[in-house]
Amino acid sequence: MGAMLRPGMALGQFDLVEPVVEDRITSVWRARRRATGENCTVEALAPGLAGSLAVRSAFLAAAGAATQASLDRRVRRVIDLGEDTVAGVPFVATDDDPGPTLAARLRGRGPLSRAEIAGLTRELVEVCGTLHPRGRAHGELAPRNLVLPEAPGAEIAVRGLVRGPVIGQCAPGEVGATGTYVAPELRGGGASPTPAGDVYGLALLALALLTGEEPPGPWESATDPGAVRRPSTAVPAAAERLPAGFDDWFLAATSADPAARPPFDATRQQA
């Protein structure tokens, strides 16, 4: 088990400044490169998972693969990755992304406008369009992993590419409510993110954007896994805010059978 992270702690060549978002899978920190004073962002594996070799290996492999994903301008450039022997956790450092997360935006201001949703969806389709043909997927298109631009008209920043592979190596009980935007087949242990899983995540994300509330998760019922949950009736804020046809698209996109979900690039017109 790794050490609990705290401000001022060193991870490799970086000093942690303040936490941005933390859960039982990873923690994201604003950080500073010790030698240059350069601001950056560090994502580290949660200490409680550091005892699993499979989880640590999945984190480091995903972090290494993210150096190639950084070819898309909206995925922050990886500047370092490694495993800190003192803290006992692997980490990945990327260029600074100082803007607020989408999660913070939803908590502070509620639903996005239809124009904002269309723009955000378009960008996510484009980002995943660079990943999917290369045999990769994000795995968790959650508000915590999307950083909004500080300037109007600028592009979002996408992070969290290490989380899907890590969640795939966790036992279901280790993920819990953290996996709201993670497809159920990825939460079973030993799986890898897929484009069909990103369709599932985008459906839950679209519901959050339209209602201004992050949906309770996991979405599927624990007591009746086969039960159909229509957003317009399951989420109190949904009925008056969802466009016509959303329920049917959502049910298809969150199908228990990944092969039955619509193609990811078809979501641009629906979400």
Side-chain angles (χ1 to χ4, degrees), residues 123-152:
E123 290 198 63
L124 289 178
V125 169
E126 291 172 355
V127 170
C128 288
T130 68
L131 296 176
H132 295 170
R134 291 148 69 177
R136 300 201 60 223
H138 189 283
E140 190 191 33
L141 295 176
R144 61 158 284 150
N145 293 327
L146 303 175
V147 183
L148 300 179
E150 293 188 300

mmCIF file of all heavy atoms in Angstrom, residues 123-152:
data_model
loop_
_atom_site.group_PDB
_atom_site.id
_atom_site.type_symbol
_atom_site.label_atom_id
_atom_site.label_comp_id
_atom_site.label_asym_id
_atom_site.label_seq_id
_atom_site.Cartn_x
_atom_site.Cartn_y
_atom_site.Cartn_z
ATOM 1 N N GLU A 123 -16.177 17.726 -29.880
ATOM 2 C CA GLU A 123 -14.770 17.591 -29.524
ATOM 3 C C GLU A 123 -14.448 16.185 -29.019
ATOM 4 O O GLU A 123 -13.409 15.605 -29.355
ATOM 5 C CB GLU A 123 -14.383 18.634 -28.476
ATOM 6 C CG GLU A 123 -14.342 20.052 -29.014
ATOM 7 C CD GLU A 123 -13.556 20.974 -28.107
ATOM 8 O OE1 GLU A 123 -12.348 20.737 -27.936
ATOM 9 O OE2 GLU A 123 -14.152 21.914 -27.546
ATOM 10 N N LEU A 124 -15.340 15.606 -28.212
ATOM 11 C CA LEU A 124 -15.092 14.257 -27.700
ATOM 12 C C LEU A 124 -15.112 13.224 -28.822
ATOM 13 O O LEU A 124 -14.321 12.274 -28.821
ATOM 14 C CB LEU A 124 -16.125 13.900 -26.629
ATOM 15 C CG LEU A 124 -15.982 14.641 -25.298
ATOM 16 C CD1 LEU A 124 -17.088 14.226 -24.339
ATOM 17 C CD2 LEU A 124 -14.620 14.387 -24.676
ATOM 18 N N VAL A 125 -16.026 13.398 -29.778
ATOM 19 C CA VAL A 125 -16.064 12.494 -30.934
ATOM 20 C C VAL A 125 -14.746 12.591 -31.707
ATOM 21 O O VAL A 125 -14.186 11.575 -32.145
ATOM 22 C CB VAL A 125 -17.263 12.826 -31.838
ATOM 23 C CG1 VAL A 125 -17.162 12.086 -33.169
ATOM 24 C CG2 VAL A 125 -18.571 12.464 -31.137
ATOM 25 N N GLU A 126 -14.217 13.794 -31.839
ATOM 26 C CA GLU A 126 -12.958 13.973 -32.564
ATOM 27 C C GLU A 126 -11.789 13.366 -31.797
ATOM 28 O O GLU A 126 -10.928 12.702 -32.384
ATOM 29 C CB GLU A 126 -12.711 15.463 -32.816
ATOM 30 C CG GLU A 126 -13.691 16.073 -33.811
ATOM 31 C CD GLU A 126 -13.555 17.585 -33.912
ATOM 32 O OE1 GLU A 126 -12.748 18.156 -33.134
ATOM 33 O OE2 GLU A 126 -14.240 18.198 -34.748
ATOM 34 N N VAL A 127 -11.741 13.590 -30.478
ATOM 35 C CA VAL A 127 -10.658 13.024 -29.677
ATOM 36 C C VAL A 127 -10.686 11.499 -29.738
ATOM 37 O O VAL A 127 -9.667 10.845 -29.987
ATOM 38 C CB VAL A 127 -10.747 13.497 -28.209
ATOM 39 C CG1 VAL A 127 -9.769 12.721 -27.332
ATOM 40 C CG2 VAL A 127 -10.453 14.993 -28.104
ATOM 41 N N CYS A 128 -11.862 10.916 -29.510
ATOM 42 C CA CYS A 128 -11.961 9.460 -29.545
ATOM 43 C C CYS A 128 -11.746 8.933 -30.953
ATOM 44 O O CYS A 128 -11.314 7.790 -31.140
ATOM 45 C CB CYS A 128 -13.312 9.012 -28.997
ATOM 46 S SG CYS A 128 -13.441 9.215 -27.193
ATOM 47 N N GLY A 129 -12.015 9.775 -31.949
ATOM 48 C CA GLY A 129 -11.745 9.379 -33.327
ATOM 49 C C GLY A 129 -10.265 9.209 -33.608
ATOM 50 O O GLY A 129 -9.888 8.537 -34.575
ATOM 51 N N THR A 130 -9.405 9.816 -32.788
ATOM 52 C CA THR A 130 -7.965 9.589 -32.922
ATOM 53 C C THR A 130 -7.519 8.359 -32.123
ATOM 54 O O THR A 130 -6.483 7.770 -32.429
ATOM 55 C CB THR A 130 -7.159 10.808 -32.444
ATOM 56 O OG1 THR A 130 -7.305 10.965 -31.028
ATOM 57 C CG2 THR A 130 -7.626 12.076 -33.147
ATOM 58 N N LEU A 131 -8.285 7.993 -31.113
ATOM 59 C CA LEU A 131 -7.927 6.848 -30.276
ATOM 60 C C LEU A 131 -8.422 5.526 -30.858
ATOM 61 O O LEU A 131 -7.675 4.546 -30.951
ATOM 62 C CB LEU A 131 -8.508 7.023 -28.871
ATOM 63 C CG LEU A 131 -8.016 8.200 -28.026
ATOM 64 C CD1 LEU A 131 -8.793 8.256 -26.716
ATOM 65 C CD2 LEU A 131 -6.523 8.085 -27.759
ATOM 66 N N HIS A 132 -9.703 5.487 -31.228
ATOM 67 C CA HIS A 132 -10.326 4.213 -31.614
ATOM 68 C C HIS A 132 -9.665 3.536 -32.808
ATOM 69 O O HIS A 132 -9.476 2.310 -32.782
ATOM 70 C CB HIS A 132 -11.818 4.438 -31.875
ATOM 71 C CG HIS A 132 -12.580 4.840 -30.644
ATOM 72 N ND1 HIS A 132 -13.888 5.283 -30.675
ATOM 73 C CD2 HIS A 132 -12.219 4.855 -29.326
ATOM 74 C CE1 HIS A 132 -14.292 5.552 -29.445
ATOM 75 N NE2 HIS A 132 -13.298 5.309 -28.616
ATOM 76 N N PRO A 133 -9.281 4.251 -33.871
ATOM 77 C CA PRO A 133 -8.633 3.557 -34.995
ATOM 78 C C PRO A 133 -7.286 2.953 -34.622
ATOM 79 O O PRO A 133 -6.778 2.090 -35.338
ATOM 80 C CB PRO A 133 -8.462 4.675 -36.040
ATOM 81 C CG PRO A 133 -9.488 5.696 -35.689
ATOM 82 C CD PRO A 133 -9.548 5.672 -34.195
ATOM 83 N N ARG A 134 -6.709 3.402 -33.515
ATOM 84 C CA ARG A 134 -5.410 2.888 -33.074
ATOM 85 C C ARG A 134 -5.573 1.802 -32.014
ATOM 86 O O ARG A 134 -4.627 1.445 -31.323
ATOM 87 C CB ARG A 134 -4.571 4.047 -32.529
ATOM 88 C CG ARG A 134 -4.149 5.014 -33.623
ATOM 89 C CD ARG A 134 -4.038 6.436 -33.154
ATOM 90 N NE ARG A 134 -2.925 6.642 -32.243
ATOM 91 C CZ ARG A 134 -2.610 7.840 -31.747
ATOM 92 N NH1 ARG A 134 -3.353 8.886 -32.084
ATOM 93 N NH2 ARG A 134 -1.596 7.977 -30.939
ATOM 94 N N GLY A 135 -6.810 1.297 -31.888
ATOM 95 C CA GLY A 135 -7.033 0.204 -30.950
ATOM 96 C C GLY A 135 -7.095 0.636 -29.507
ATOM 97 O O GLY A 135 -6.927 -0.186 -28.601
ATOM 98 N N ARG A 136 -7.365 1.912 -29.266
ATOM 99 C CA ARG A 136 -7.424 2.433 -27.909
ATOM 100 C C ARG A 136 -8.778 3.068 -27.671
ATOM 101 O O ARG A 136 -9.519 3.391 -28.592
ATOM 102 C CB ARG A 136 -6.315 3.457 -27.657
ATOM 103 C CG ARG A 136 -4.917 2.901 -27.841
ATOM 104 C CD ARG A 136 -3.899 3.743 -27.099
ATOM 105 N NE ARG A 136 -4.193 3.769 -25.679
ATOM 106 C CZ ARG A 136 -4.124 4.875 -24.934
ATOM 107 N NH1 ARG A 136 -3.820 6.031 -25.486
ATOM 108 N NH2 ARG A 136 -4.385 4.835 -23.651
ATOM 109 N N ALA A 137 -9.101 3.262 -26.406
ATOM 110 C CA ALA A 137 -10.334 3.940 -26.017
ATOM 111 C C ALA A 137 -10.069 4.666 -24.717
ATOM 112 O O ALA A 137 -9.106 4.374 -24.005
ATOM 113 C CB ALA A 137 -11.480 2.943 -25.860
ATOM 114 N N HIS A 138 -10.929 5.637 -24.395
ATOM 115 C CA HIS A 138 -10.719 6.388 -23.158
ATOM 116 C C HIS A 138 -11.114 5.559 -21.947
ATOM 117 O O HIS A 138 -10.346 5.399 -21.008
ATOM 118 C CB HIS A 138 -11.517 7.696 -23.190
ATOM 119 C CG HIS A 138 -11.175 8.609 -22.045
ATOM 120 N ND1 HIS A 138 -11.648 8.399 -20.763
ATOM 121 C CD2 HIS A 138 -10.402 9.730 -21.981
ATOM 122 C CE1 HIS A 138 -11.175 9.337 -19.962
ATOM 123 N NE2 HIS A 138 -10.410 10.156 -20.684
ATOM 124 N N GLY A 139 -12.332 5.047 -21.944
ATOM 125 C CA GLY A 139 -12.771 4.193 -20.850
ATOM 126 C C GLY A 139 -13.601 4.864 -19.780
ATOM 127 O O GLY A 139 -14.371 4.200 -19.082
ATOM 128 N N GLU A 140 -13.471 6.180 -19.621
ATOM 129 C CA GLU A 140 -14.247 6.878 -18.592
ATOM 130 C C GLU A 140 -14.456 8.340 -18.999
ATOM 131 O O GLU A 140 -13.733 9.231 -18.561
ATOM 132 C CB GLU A 140 -13.564 6.807 -17.224
ATOM 133 C CG GLU A 140 -14.463 7.308 -16.098
ATOM 134 C CD GLU A 140 -13.724 7.492 -14.788
ATOM 135 O OE1 GLU A 140 -12.518 7.840 -14.801
ATOM 136 O OE2 GLU A 140 -14.359 7.320 -13.727
ATOM 137 N N LEU A 141 -15.441 8.579 -19.860
ATOM 138 C CA LEU A 141 -15.741 9.948 -20.307
ATOM 139 C C LEU A 141 -16.590 10.625 -19.236
ATOM 140 O O LEU A 141 -17.775 10.871 -19.405
ATOM 141 C CB LEU A 141 -16.452 9.907 -21.658
ATOM 142 C CG LEU A 141 -15.611 9.348 -22.816
ATOM 143 C CD1 LEU A 141 -16.436 9.251 -24.078
ATOM 144 C CD2 LEU A 141 -14.370 10.227 -23.048
ATOM 145 N N ALA A 142 -15.943 10.948 -18.139
ATOM 146 C CA ALA A 142 -16.620 11.508 -16.969
ATOM 147 C C ALA A 142 -16.300 12.985 -16.821
ATOM 148 O O ALA A 142 -15.239 13.452 -17.255
ATOM 149 C CB ALA A 142 -16.173 10.759 -15.710
ATOM 150 N N PRO A 143 -17.199 13.759 -16.211
ATOM 151 C CA PRO A 143 -16.934 15.191 -16.007
ATOM 152 C C PRO A 143 -15.630 15.484 -15.282
ATOM 153 O O PRO A 143 -15.005 16.511 -15.529
ATOM 154 C CB PRO A 143 -18.151 15.650 -15.196
ATOM 155 C CG PRO A 143 -19.249 14.738 -15.631
ATOM 156 C CD PRO A 143 -18.583 13.400 -15.813
ATOM 157 N N ARG A 144 -15.203 14.598 -14.391
ATOM 158 C CA ARG A 144 -13.948 14.831 -13.678
ATOM 159 C C ARG A 144 -12.737 14.779 -14.610
ATOM 160 O O ARG A 144 -11.671 15.319 -14.273
ATOM 161 C CB ARG A 144 -13.756 13.804 -12.558
ATOM 162 C CG ARG A 144 -13.685 12.373 -13.025
ATOM 163 C CD ARG A 144 -12.993 11.459 -12.021
ATOM 164 N NE ARG A 144 -11.564 11.646 -12.043
ATOM 165 C CZ ARG A 144 -10.749 11.488 -11.018
ATOM 166 N NH1 ARG A 144 -11.229 11.148 -9.847
ATOM 167 N NH2 ARG A 144 -9.439 11.654 -11.135
ATOM 168 N N ASN A 145 -12.879 14.146 -15.769
ATOM 169 C CA ASN A 145 -11.759 13.977 -16.687
ATOM 170 C C ASN A 145 -11.753 14.986 -17.823
ATOM 171 O O ASN A 145 -10.910 14.878 -18.724
ATOM 172 C CB ASN A 145 -11.785 12.560 -17.275
ATOM 173 C CG ASN A 145 -11.498 11.497 -16.231
ATOM 174 O OD1 ASN A 145 -10.740 11.720 -15.294
ATOM 175 N ND2 ASN A 145 -12.126 10.337 -16.381
ATOM 176 N N LEU A 146 -12.667 15.934 -17.798
ATOM 177 C CA LEU A 146 -12.747 16.944 -18.851
ATOM 178 C C LEU A 146 -12.516 18.310 -18.235
ATOM 179 O O LEU A 146 -13.212 18.716 -17.301
ATOM 180 C CB LEU A 146 -14.117 16.887 -19.535
ATOM 181 C CG LEU A 146 -14.482 15.519 -20.128
ATOM 182 C CD1 LEU A 146 -15.899 15.541 -20.674
ATOM 183 C CD2 LEU A 146 -13.490 15.108 -21.204
ATOM 184 N N VAL A 147 -11.532 19.025 -18.766
ATOM 185 C CA VAL A 147 -11.169 20.338 -18.240
ATOM 186 C C VAL A 147 -11.629 21.404 -19.216
ATOM 187 O O VAL A 147 -11.288 21.360 -20.409
ATOM 188 C CB VAL A 147 -9.646 20.447 -18.014
ATOM 189 C CG1 VAL A 147 -9.299 21.802 -17.396
ATOM 190 C CG2 VAL A 147 -9.170 19.314 -17.102
ATOM 191 N N LEU A 148 -12.414 22.343 -18.722
ATOM 192 C CA LEU A 148 -12.984 23.371 -19.584
ATOM 193 C C LEU A 148 -11.973 24.468 -19.858
ATOM 194 O O LEU A 148 -11.115 24.770 -19.024
ATOM 195 C CB LEU A 148 -14.232 23.963 -18.927
ATOM 196 C CG LEU A 148 -15.358 22.957 -18.655
ATOM 197 C CD1 LEU A 148 -16.538 23.654 -17.983
ATOM 198 C CD2 LEU A 148 -15.818 22.294 -19.938
ATOM 199 N N PRO A 149 -12.049 25.098 -21.021
ATOM 200 C CA PRO A 149 -11.098 26.166 -21.356
ATOM 201 C C PRO A 149 -11.355 27.406 -20.515
ATOM 202 O O PRO A 149 -12.480 27.683 -20.103
ATOM 203 C CB PRO A 149 -11.385 26.432 -22.837
ATOM 204 C CG PRO A 149 -12.817 26.024 -23.022
ATOM 205 C CD PRO A 149 -13.019 24.857 -22.107
ATOM 206 N N GLU A 150 -10.289 28.141 -20.252
ATOM 207 C CA GLU A 150 -10.422 29.399 -19.510
ATOM 208 C C GLU A 150 -10.918 30.517 -20.411
ATOM 209 O O GLU A 150 -11.613 31.417 -19.977
ATOM 210 C CB GLU A 150 -9.076 29.774 -18.888
ATOM 211 C CG GLU A 150 -8.625 28.819 -17.787
ATOM 212 C CD GLU A 150 -7.401 29.308 -17.055
ATOM 213 O OE1 GLU A 150 -6.364 29.478 -17.718
ATOM 214 O OE2 GLU A 150 -7.487 29.548 -15.832
ATOM 215 N N ALA A 151 -10.562 30.447 -21.697
ATOM 216 C CA ALA A 151 -10.952 31.493 -22.630
ATOM 217 C C ALA A 151 -12.134 31.029 -23.478
ATOM 218 O O ALA A 151 -12.178 29.865 -23.901
ATOM 219 C CB ALA A 151 -9.777 31.845 -23.543
ATOM 220 N N PRO A 152 -13.111 31.889 -23.735
ATOM 221 C CA PRO A 152 -14.245 31.521 -24.578
ATOM 222 C C PRO A 152 -13.779 31.077 -25.961
ATOM 223 O O PRO A 152 -12.885 31.681 -26.556
ATOM 224 C CB PRO A 152 -15.057 32.830 -24.660
ATOM 225 C CG PRO A 152 -14.648 33.607 -23.451
ATOM 226 C CD PRO A 152 -13.203 33.272 -23.220
#
